[in-house]
Amino acid sequence: MDMAAPICVKTTCPYCGVGCGVLADVDAGGAVSVRGDPDHPANFGRLCSKGSALAETIGLEGRLLYPEVSGERTSWDAALDLVAARFNETIREHGPDSVAFYVSGQLLTEDYYVANKLMKGFIGSANIDTNSRLCMASSVAGHRRAFGSDTVPGCYEDLELADLIVLVGSNLAWCHPVLHQRIAAAKEKRPEMKVVLIDPRRTAAADIADLHLAIKPDGDVALFLGLLSYMGRFRSLDATYITENTSGIADALRAADLLDPYTVVQRTGLSLTALEEFYRLFAATGRTVTVYSQGVNQSSSGTDKVNAIINCHLATGRIGQPGMGPFSVTGQPNAMGGREVGGLANMLAAHMAIEVAEDRDRVQRFWRAPTIATRPGLKAVDMFRAVADGRIKALWIMATNPVVSMPEAGNVKDAIAACPFVVVSDVTADTDTCRHAGVLLPALAWGEKSGTVTNSERRISRQRSFLRAPGGARPDWWIISEVAKRMGHRDAFSYAEPDEIFAEHAALSAFENDGSRDFDIGACTTLSPAAYEDLAPFQWPRPAGRAGAQRMFADGRYFTPDGKARLIPVQLADREPPPPGFPLTLNTGRIRDHWHTMTRTGKSQRLSQHYAEPFVEIHPGDAARSRVGDADLVRVSTGLGGSVLVRALLTSRQQAGSIFVPMHWNDQFASSARINCLVPGIADPVSGQPASKNVPARIERFVAATYGFAVFRRRPAKISAEYWATAKCSGGWRAELAFASNPADWSAYARELFGRLSEPVVYHDAETGRMRFAAYDNGHLTGLLFLAPEPVAVSRDWAVAQLAAADPALGKRTAVLAGRPGAGSVDRGAIVCACFGIGAHEIRSAAASGCCTVAAVGEATQAGTNCGSCRPEINRIIHEQRAAASRPLIATAN
């Protein structure tokens, strides 16, 4: 085999909206390793646990490599001809609004641009929406109401310059870890810097907080209305800024003053003392940044929450200056790029407005398009309802998995399955969504594709390819363009390379733009292919012939007709009482080491060790009332019908009366854990963003007849159990199991689980009901299965290690069934530090031996010394160990 020269490629992480720079090193043998890019201004070399494990996720296992029609491999020409013909036929018979694209923040800007151009300018419908609708549409709507444009005012540097950081509905430590570490480092240098966390849960972000306000779900509007009223009463507003640069202050204050302090207490669940402490701190601190994320956006009042926050910054003039401003941090690597190209159903390209005739005319003329969408299209929730009722008859889903991620996910699954024509272009062959597509189109993955992405601070960076395209996979922009050509639009979509698309995107941003529109990267219009390839990260705007801006609105001028920012008179929404029988509030979200629906992170054994199965966080008091113990299995249900079955995690970090379930697990990794099947499609009336964090729910303990744990070299095609959850592990896969009733023949069940069971070793204790199976194939251990009438007490670490251990001699194979480490073995416990594989037992041992700080534990074990995402958990273990050591021993008399 020819050995290539080693290369190092600068690219950008494909996970969250921080947009970290990554150096991908490919050695002479083709092996890939990754590290943070020390020159990238988003992360300066830092990477989180997910970014650090990227090299573990680029294998071809499970990849979609060739086009398929009705489950059969076909040629690209045949697949593309079919897609174009069916879309044309549907449009001809039922009109342009009978088709739709559902796209993704995982697409590159060039992909997004071409998809939006095809739908809005050449099909003539605005029925293109994106999974970004689920994460930041309320921020878009709030920005446009306040600023006249979807403009993020600040930059990451403001997080280090601020004297007060207010984190609202943002578990920054887990969801945007690199930003969390930048704040933590700044606070370490300036201990006087204050951090306030506003979140119903005491998340890992509380580790650096000086004040945690455990607010009631959806209490944010009341909190910030109260803050505005407080600052008005105590003359903490900037009258000069208000007069010169804003409008609407009288109405905004009038709306805020309708709330008396006791109403604020009732709606927020916070004490007057806590409210006054926060209000005084905010009012007195000029350099304040309010960082908000899904806890604000994913709400039926999300847009009002955004404007309630922005109002407080506008009324104090704390915007556009170093260390000041409202800051929406986005959840996806290119949600911002999608906004720039008009990938949302209610926007045009280049931040132009679909409701403005002049903008529609401008875009149509620039594209030389035969038509242009004249009204907003269907937003995500309404789009899939239109698929369900037959209004949409042809649907193209790109780089996303709505059968898992959408609210009412069960209905979405049924709608897609019943739709006459469904196309999915993706990198993974067998997602919950791909199973229901008539046509599958293989797209390039991270490391293979090339283009641009925009992060949360408006910074455009390059994603570059360093891997060859596998099989027949193609770039998304190429796939879309080829379909467009076959639909009759060859001249408008004759792109040869992504740099041509980026240049066109840049030219449109500058077209007839005299500075009256915020998004302008006209300086990039004339980039040569070589300059595009070498393009360094930059913030927009970057107009041709004019200076750009690190911060927006520094001059106090906005993109409204009168140039003034608008304070919005926000009012409290009515609060509906929970329906009888659903006393808890379900909150959904992300965890530290997984991402979206696990199609990438589920490939990494390192990222699958922190939480290896789906779970529900429950306050101990709520658990006791439902007779649920720690690590029990629990059914969670809501009024939508159905339930999920997940592991109970009892923690006082969870607010009493609320529960939290991650959104990642799906039918590929668990028996019944698609939590969005339980989330109704209630959306914010302005933004259309679904409310995913305030759902009436109940819990019920699941009692199993038998519990099991298994490890296997090859993932089973099918697992038969009421509860199962699989996770990648070293050497293969692991699974937790639970059975409502026992199979007639456990040996037959083991054969089904492991496949060929040519040399079984079996242990059965009839008295206790415990059984253990070891499966061998030609002397090689292929799997272990442990069964018991109670949760299986076996060292998971040890069992996984057996897959990689040397095969024992025939006479010693029964020792494998002992299920516990032998002398000299180390049980690490649950993995806390994913970067170095350090477990809770190891950290607890270090703490017991005198390591009383996170830094000391890091020095002893390496835990927490890379990305830092695990430092809050290390700190908690240290405190728990210290508390346990200080408890007095109690003597018991015989």
Side-chain angles (χ1 to χ4, degrees):
M1 183 177 69
D2 293 338
M3 302 292 281
I7 60 170
C8 177
V9 175
K10 286 178 175 280
T11 185
T12 308
C13 181
Y15 287 118
C16 76
V18 176
C20 294
V22 174
L23 297 179
D25 295 298
V26 185
D27 70 16
V32 176
S33 60
V34 300
R35 52 199 167 99
D37 182 352
D39 298 325
H40 197 289
N43 59 315
F44 296 109
R46 297 178 178 92
L47 286 180
C48 72
S49 57
K50 292 186 290 292
S52 298
L54 274 167
E56 297 176 23
T57 68
I58 58 177
L60 298 184
E61 180 185 3
R63 281 292 297 274
L64 177 64
L65 295 175
Y66 299 97
E68 295 181 12
V69 174
S70 300
E72 299 294 328
R73 178 174 164 178
T74 190
S75 68
W76 267 113
D77 280 339
L80 295 168
D81 286 347
L82 174 64
V83 173
R86 289 295 299 271
F87 267 79
N88 271 340
E89 176 186 318
T90 304
I91 293 164
R92 185 167 55 250
E93 293 182 6
H94 304 285
D97 287 335
S98 66
V99 302
F101 295 168
Y102 186 63
V103 297
S104 167
Q106 300 292 301
L107 293 176
L108 301 180
T109 297
E110 292 77 3
D111 308 322
Y112 247 136
Y113 179 87
V114 174
N116 185 60
K117 178 180 177 180
L118 173 58
M119 178 57 76
K120 288 183 180 147
F122 290 80
I123 291 175
S125 170
N127 281 349
I128 174 171
D129 210 40
T130 166
N131 61 8
S132 300
R133 178 72 59 189
L134 311 183
C135 72
M136 37 56 23
S138 292
S139 288
V140 174
H143 288 163
R144 294 178 77 187
R145 289 205 302 189
F147 309 143
S149 60
D150 176 23
T151 310
V152 175
C155 59
Y156 294 161
E157 184 184 59
D158 293 328
L159 303 176
E160 296 160 327
L161 298 177
D163 295 320
L164 171 63
I165 300 283
V166 183
L167 301 175
V168 191
S170 169
N171 185 5
L172 208 68
W174 277 16
C175 299
H176 301 91
V178 167
L179 294 186
H180 178 82
Q181 290 307 319
R182 288 184 66 165
I183 294 172
K187 187 170 172 57
E188 189 173 344
K189 292 178 182 176
R190 294 191 296 120
E192 67 276 11
M193 178 189 194
K194 301 295 183 186
V195 177
V196 176
L197 174 65
I198 300 169
D199 199 303
R201 301 165 64 217
R202 186 171 180 82
T203 64
D207 194 56
I208 61 169
D210 300 280
L211 175 65
H212 173 214
L213 300 179
I215 196 170
K216 283 183 179 179
D218 281 340
D220 311 81
V221 171
L223 178 68
F224 284 93
L225 283 175
L227 173 59
L228 183 64
S229 178
Y230 175 93
M231 293 192 295
R233 291 198 314 273
F234 289 93
R235 299 184 179 181
S236 301
L237 305 182
D238 187 332
T240 301
Y241 191 89
I242 289 170
T243 300
E244 294 180 356
N245 303 112
T246 75
S247 64
I249 184 64
D251 288 342
L253 277 174
R254 193 176 301 115
D257 289 340
L258 290 174
L259 268 70
D260 62 80
Y262 297 99
T263 301
V264 178
V265 167
Q266 189 269 329
R267 295 298 290 263
T268 63
L270 304 172
S271 67
L272 274 174
T273 301
L275 287 168
E276 288 178 0
E277 182 180 1
F278 170 55
Y279 289 172
R280 282 198 303 270
L281 183 61
F282 191 104
T285 310
R287 290 194 172 209
T288 297
V289 175
T290 304
V291 178
Y292 62 92
S293 192
Q294 311 310 356
V296 168
N297 293 329
Q298 289 180 336
S299 167
S300 58
S301 57
T303 306
D304 283 348
K305 289 184 184 185
V306 170
N307 286 116
I309 291 168
I310 292 174
N311 282 352
C312 293
H313 280 270
L314 291 175
T316 53
R318 297 175 189 169
I319 188 168
Q321 303 299 323
M324 300 180 186
F327 204 144
S328 162
V329 288
T330 53
Q332 293 195 82
N334 203 29
M336 291 282 282
R339 288 148 70 171
E340 293 157 12
V341 304
L344 292 163
N346 57 315
M347 298 175 70
L348 276 181
H351 282 194
M352 283 181 270
I354 201 168
E355 64 271 17
V356 176
E358 292 85 353
D359 285 351
R360 295 196 302 270
D361 175 69
R362 181 181 298 113
V363 174
Q364 184 175 3
R365 284 188 289 109
F366 180 86
W367 280 342
R368 299 179 183 176
T371 185
I372 195 74
T374 58
R375 62 181 185 274
L378 293 170
K379 298 168 185 172
V381 171
D382 291 333
M383 177 181 287
F384 284 100
R385 287 176 177 168
V387 174
D389 66 25
R391 283 174 288 157
I392 290 176
K393 303 177 187 301
L395 174 66
W396 189 349
I397 299 167
M398 306 178 195
T400 187
N401 196 4
V403 170
V404 180
S405 57
M406 280 290 297
E408 299 178 353
N411 296 342
V412 169
K413 174 183 175 181
D414 293 342
I416 294 172
C419 185
F421 188 65
V422 176
V423 182
V424 174
S425 45
D426 209 328
V427 302
T428 304
D430 188 24
T431 70
D432 293 50
T433 300
C434 285
R435 291 177 173 183
H436 305 287
V439 179
L440 293 177
L441 303 176
L444 295 182
W446 181 83
E448 300 157 3
K449 59 186 179 179
S450 181
T452 58
V453 293
T454 306
N455 73 0
S456 295
E457 63 167 352
R458 312 183 321 277
R459 190 175 299 280
I460 295 174
S461 299
R462 289 277 281 111
Q463 269 194 23
R464 296 179 174 89
S465 59
F466 53 88
L467 298 170
R468 291 180 180 176
R474 297 289 186 268
D476 286 284
W477 63 262
W478 181 90
I479 299 170
I480 301 160
S481 297
E482 287 300 310
V483 169
K485 291 175 186 177
R486 287 164 168 81
M487 291 179 72
H489 312 301
R490 178 168 297 277
D491 290 345
F493 293 88
S494 57
Y495 307 110
E497 296 293 340
D499 64 278
E500 298 172 19
I501 304 169
F502 185 76
E504 182 179 314
H505 167 53
L508 176 55
S509 76
F511 184 56
E512 298 178 354
N513 189 354
D514 58 1
S516 58
R517 304 197 308 270
D518 66 333
F519 182 69
D520 186 345
I521 55 170
C524 298
T525 300
T526 57
L527 286 180
S528 67
Y532 175 79
E533 182 59 31
D534 294 337
L535 187 66
F538 70 93
Q539 282 182 284
W540 64 260
R542 183 181 270 192
R546 301 198 309 274
Q550 183 182 19
R551 296 173 182 86
M552 303 295 283
F553 313 133
D555 59 358
R557 305 305 295 167
Y558 295 84
F559 295 97
T560 55
D562 64 0
K564 293 187 174 185
R566 297 179 288 232
L567 285 93
I568 305 300
V570 174
Q571 297 184 353
L572 278 184
D574 293 334
R575 175 170 285 178
E576 295 289 332
F582 297 94
L584 302 173
T585 298
L586 168 65
N587 174 14
T588 68
R590 294 176 178 166
I591 61 173
R592 190 189 75 189
D593 290 350
H594 275 309
W595 173 255
H596 283 199
T597 62
M598 297 169 63
T599 51
R600 180 181 288 118
T601 55
K603 291 183 169 186
S604 167
Q605 64 90 14
R606 191 195 326 183
L607 297 178
S608 299
Q609 294 182 81
H610 188 223
Y611 288 109
E613 56 184 324
F615 63 90
V616 53
E617 281 190 359
I618 313 171
H619 187 275
D622 294 324
R625 279 185 285 275
S626 297
R627 299 182 179 180
V628 171
D630 202 19
D632 278 349
L633 290 172
V634 174
R635 287 200 187 279
V636 180
S637 57
T638 68
L640 203 59
S643 64
V644 298
L645 186 58
V646 293
R647 188 74 64 183
L649 174 58
L650 274 54
T651 173
S652 57
R653 299 190 304 272
Q654 177 62 57
Q655 186 180 86
S658 292
I659 57 176
F660 171 82
V661 180
M663 54 80 69
H664 309 291
W665 274 269
N666 54 71
D667 291 350
Q668 317 300 309
F669 291 92
S671 54
S672 178
R674 285 192 297 135
I675 191 60
N676 281 312
C677 288
L678 306 185
V679 177
I682 298 170
D684 178 280
V686 180
S687 69
Q689 179 159 355
S692 302
K693 295 184 171 291
N694 190 351
V695 182
R698 65 175 171 229
I699 57 174
E700 179 184 2
R701 183 171 179 259
F702 173 79
V703 181
T706 298
Y707 296 86
F709 175 74
V711 296
F712 17 74
R713 288 191 190 276
R714 295 182 184 86
R715 190 179 189 181
K718 178 183 178 184
I719 300 178
S720 300
E722 277 69 31
Y723 175 82
W724 60 264
T726 62
K728 195 84 170 67
C729 65
S730 179
W733 294 83
R734 54 177 284 181
E736 300 287 344
L737 307 163
F739 305 83
S741 59
N742 293 332
D745 185 346
W746 280 115
S747 294
Y749 180 87
R751 289 187 182 93
E752 178 188 340
L753 191 67
F754 296 127
R756 200 164 90 185
L757 194 65
S758 55
E759 304 170 46
V761 180
V762 183
Y763 165 84
H764 181 202
D765 186 331
E767 184 176 339
T768 64
R770 297 188 182 99
M771 299 186 73
R772 296 168 184 173
F773 296 83
Y776 290 87
D777 188 359
N778 294 324
H780 297 283
L781 180 69
T782 58
L784 293 169
L785 172 63
F786 301 87
L787 300 164
E790 68 284 330
V792 173
V794 62
S795 166
R796 271 57 175 167
D797 247 8
W798 175 87
V800 166
Q802 302 316 297
L803 291 176
D807 290 309
L810 188 62
K812 296 183 179 180
R813 287 181 184 171
T814 53
V816 174
L817 297 179
R820 59 182 179 271
S825 299
V826 176
D827 184 2
R828 297 175 298 169
I831 295 300
V832 174
C833 175
C835 295
F836 295 109
I838 309 300
H841 294 345
E842 295 170 287
I843 294 168
R844 198 167 284 114
S845 176
S849 65
C851 297
C852 57
T853 66
V854 173
V857 168
E859 190 171 335
T861 67
Q862 287 190 291
T865 59
N866 185 37
C867 77
S869 305
C870 60
R871 288 174 192 162
E873 198 163 351
I874 296 170
N875 196 36
R876 178 178 58 79
I877 293 172
I878 293 170
H879 284 292
E880 288 174 355
Q881 177 64 32
R882 191 179 301 161
S886 65
R887 291 191 196 109
L889 295 175
I890 301 175
T892 304
N894 292 325

